[in-house]
Amino acid sequence: MTVDAFAENPQPIATAKRAHGAALKLGITKGAQRSRALMAMAEALERSFDDILEANTLDLEACREMAVPDLVLDWLKLTPERLDSTVKILQRLEELSDPLRRMRTADYQLGEEQSYSQSTPLGVIAFIYEAFPELGAIAAGLCIKSGNSIILKGSTEASHSNAAIAQVLQVAVTESGLPVGSIELVTAEHGTSMQELVTQEHYLNLVIPYGRTSLIQRVVRQSTAPVLKSAMGNCYLYWSPNGSLVDMVRWMIIESHASSPDPVNAIEKVLINRQTLSSSLGTLLKSLQEKGFVLKGDEELRESFPQLHPVQDREWGTPYFTKTVAFKLVDNLDTAISWINRHSSGHADCIVTESYQESRQFALGVNSASTYINASPRFSRNPLWGDAVFLGMSNQKGHRRGLIGLESLTTLKHIVQGNGRF
């Protein structure tokens, strides 16, 4: 059993038990109470900007001394603007309708009884994230709104920032009347490893990892609880053979990289039909270079455009996480679809075309969670349109696929109402 396996370190068990007990109570709280807690979380976070930024400075100084990569430093760095964006997301969540206890007719009826389905929380969510301290607050907000408790486990590089944010949120939710354990934080200082946490399947209902591919793969390999994978980068674009579309291709690439600090759906690979005019490609490359992009190309393209950096074979299936785009020539749409299905991260891929037939073939043939036709794949956690807030994007076909929002953290309960006869 889980308890026996980790008897030497009771910390993950105690944390999971508290979160489990809180989840049972959260699941029956009224939506208005959870919304009040979200508003309290937003207000408390806003009052604590100075303390959180001071904690973040300690993390940044320690990371620079340890020569942490610039990419991770960028993910780790908090600013008043990033914190203000987090506050706005919590406020937006407070305004959204309650995702729980929504009713719908069951797909089938049992005899004379009446059957229906009702949306309910999953229970306990473990969120394991790399840098991005503000994501702990956003994930906690999504969980509180959907009636789930959450266990946060951030990376050691952001330990001070994570602790400062978690403490603010914990005080806010308990003062709002929600149960202790609604928001838990575990760190390496507690002696809790990631494996010890994700193997508490008796209490955990879902694990959501967020970060580089290596982190996602580790969680998937080690977890005995269900995992909802997220994905970042390595999204593909196929450019149909029409030179007039170069402006759209340029806009989509630049726009997809505009999300900060983590451009989840950034286009990093572009497949170009051989019939595309070289003059159009030259215009595109020059424009992207002026915008600060690092550009790479396959051997055939580099013969015509020697300014392109070479691409290693492994790079076609690996995200860059930077303003880097690699280009490759392909014979046709079928070849492009096959290449994308083999190398893409599988969460967001695009096509630029004037052909309806090509757009349909691409949408049906590409095995990704989302496909974009002549549209920017740019990811937004707090989109201007619609009633939704998103944590990230999932590229799997399991529990949920695509955008990770409130519905991703709920499930259906089947209820059968008898008529009293026996």
Side-chain angles (χ1 to χ4, degrees):
M1 292 180 63
T2 305
V3 174
D4 294 334
F6 299 103
E8 295 181 359
N9 183 11
Q11 180 63 38
I13 303 169
T15 300
K17 278 185 175 180
R18 280 195 303 271
H20 179 69
L24 295 176
K25 297 175 182 177
L26 277 170
I28 57 175
T29 56
K30 293 183 178 180
Q33 185 179 2
R34 284 179 270 116
S35 292
R36 284 194 298 271
L38 281 164
M39 184 53 66
M41 290 164 65
E43 293 172 351
L45 199 65
E46 194 168 26
R47 291 193 303 267
S48 305
F49 276 16
D50 290 343
D51 293 337
I52 294 171
L53 291 173
E54 184 178 342
N56 186 245
T57 300
L58 294 175
D59 288 328
L60 290 171
E61 290 174 351
C63 286
R64 291 190 182 102
E65 291 178 0
M66 294 186 294
V68 170
D70 290 341
L71 172 67
V72 177
L73 285 175
D74 186 48
W75 287 356
L76 172 61
K77 184 178 181 180
L78 288 176
T79 63
E81 292 75 21
R82 281 171 67 173
L83 288 174
D84 185 62
S85 176
T86 304
V87 169
K88 285 183 169 59
I89 287 176
L90 294 177
Q91 293 170 338
R92 178 82 174 275
L93 281 169
E94 184 268 334
E95 297 169 355
L96 297 180
S97 60
D98 188 1
L100 300 183
R101 288 180 278 282
R102 294 176 180 174
M103 316 286 283
R104 71 177 180 86
T105 304
D107 296 330
Y108 62 93
Q109 300 295 322
L110 299 174
E112 297 181 0
E113 293 85 3
Q114 278 195 322
S115 300
Y116 60 94
S117 295
Q118 177 176 302
S119 57
T120 61
L122 288 175
V124 182
I125 313 295
F127 183 54
I128 300 173
Y129 52 116
E130 184 177 25
F132 301 116
E134 73 277 19
L135 283 190
I138 296 170
L142 284 162
C143 285
I144 294 299
K145 183 69 176 184
S146 55
N148 297 285
S149 62
I150 185 169
I151 302 175
L152 299 170
K153 181 164 178 57
S155 56
T156 55
E157 293 87 353
S159 58
H160 293 93
S161 307
N162 294 335
I165 291 173
Q167 184 177 12
V168 168
L169 300 180
Q170 287 170 332
V171 171
V173 296
T174 53
E175 289 183 350
S176 300
L178 296 186
V180 174
S182 297
I183 300 175
E184 290 284 335
L185 174 72
V186 294
T187 67
E189 287 76 13
H190 293 154
T192 303
S193 70
M194 184 182 74
Q195 184 173 2
E196 287 175 316
L197 175 60
V198 300
T199 49
Q200 301 298 323
E201 77 279 358
H202 182 70
Y203 302 108
L204 292 184
N205 298 98
L206 186 68
V207 179
I208 304 177
Y210 193 96
R212 288 176 289 189
T213 307
S214 56
L215 172 69
I216 310 297
Q217 291 174 343
R218 280 180 57 209
V219 172
V220 170
R221 286 195 304 268
Q222 295 179 1
S223 180
T224 56
V227 177
L228 177 59
K229 295 191 297 181
S230 60
M232 286 196 297
N234 209 43
C235 301
Y236 272 75
L237 181 147
Y238 170 68
W239 183 0
S240 183
N242 190 320
S244 65
L245 298 173
V246 63
D247 289 337
M248 184 177 294
V249 173
R250 173 185 176 277
W251 169 74
M252 287 172 61
I253 293 173
I254 295 174
E255 177 74 2
S256 72
H257 282 262
S259 298
S260 178
D262 50 339
V264 174
N265 291 357
I267 296 170
E268 296 183 338
K269 310 296 181 341
V270 177
L271 303 180
I272 307 169
N273 191 289
R274 293 184 190 280
Q275 298 176 30
T276 300
L277 296 175
S278 60
S279 59
S280 299
L281 178 55
T283 301
L284 174 65
L285 296 178
K286 181 180 179 181
S287 178
L288 291 177
Q289 283 179 323
E290 292 173 351
K291 290 292 185 179
F293 282 83
V294 175
L295 304 180
K296 298 189 174 188
D298 63 8
E299 292 183 8
E300 187 175 355
L301 270 176
R302 293 185 67 242
E303 292 178 2
S304 302
F305 300 95
Q307 71 268 34
L308 294 174
H309 298 282
V311 184
Q312 303 296 323
D313 287 342
R314 61 176 177 79
E315 293 181 39
W316 296 112
T318 305
Y320 293 124
F321 298 128
T322 59
K323 290 181 67 174
T324 302
V325 182
F327 295 82
K328 179 179 176 60
L329 289 176
V330 293
D331 294 327
N332 50 49
L333 178 57
D334 286 333
T335 306
I337 291 174
S338 177
W339 185 271
I340 290 171
N341 286 339
R342 190 161 64 252
H343 297 284
S344 163
S345 57
H347 72 280
D349 295 293
C350 321
I351 183 173
V352 173
T353 182
E354 291 180 336
S355 166
Y356 173 78
Q357 183 177 354
E358 275 194 341
S359 68
R360 291 301 299 157
Q361 183 179 347
F362 183 87
L364 294 174
V366 170
N367 186 27
S368 298
S370 301
T371 53
Y372 296 80
I373 302 165
N374 299 336
S376 168
R378 178 177 176 176
F379 173 79
S380 175
R381 290 199 165 82
N382 192 12
L384 295 175
W385 309 105
D387 294 329
V389 168
F390 303 111
L391 181 63
M393 289 279 289
S394 172
N395 60 351
Q396 68 185 41
K397 287 186 175 181
H399 170 69
R400 285 289 194 273
R401 198 180 193 201
L403 292 164
I404 302 174
L406 289 172
E407 287 190 359
S408 308
L409 307 181
T410 64
T411 187
L412 287 177
K413 176 185 289 186
H414 194 72
I415 300 172
V416 179
Q417 176 68 55
N419 55 18
R421 297 179 185 176
F422 55 91

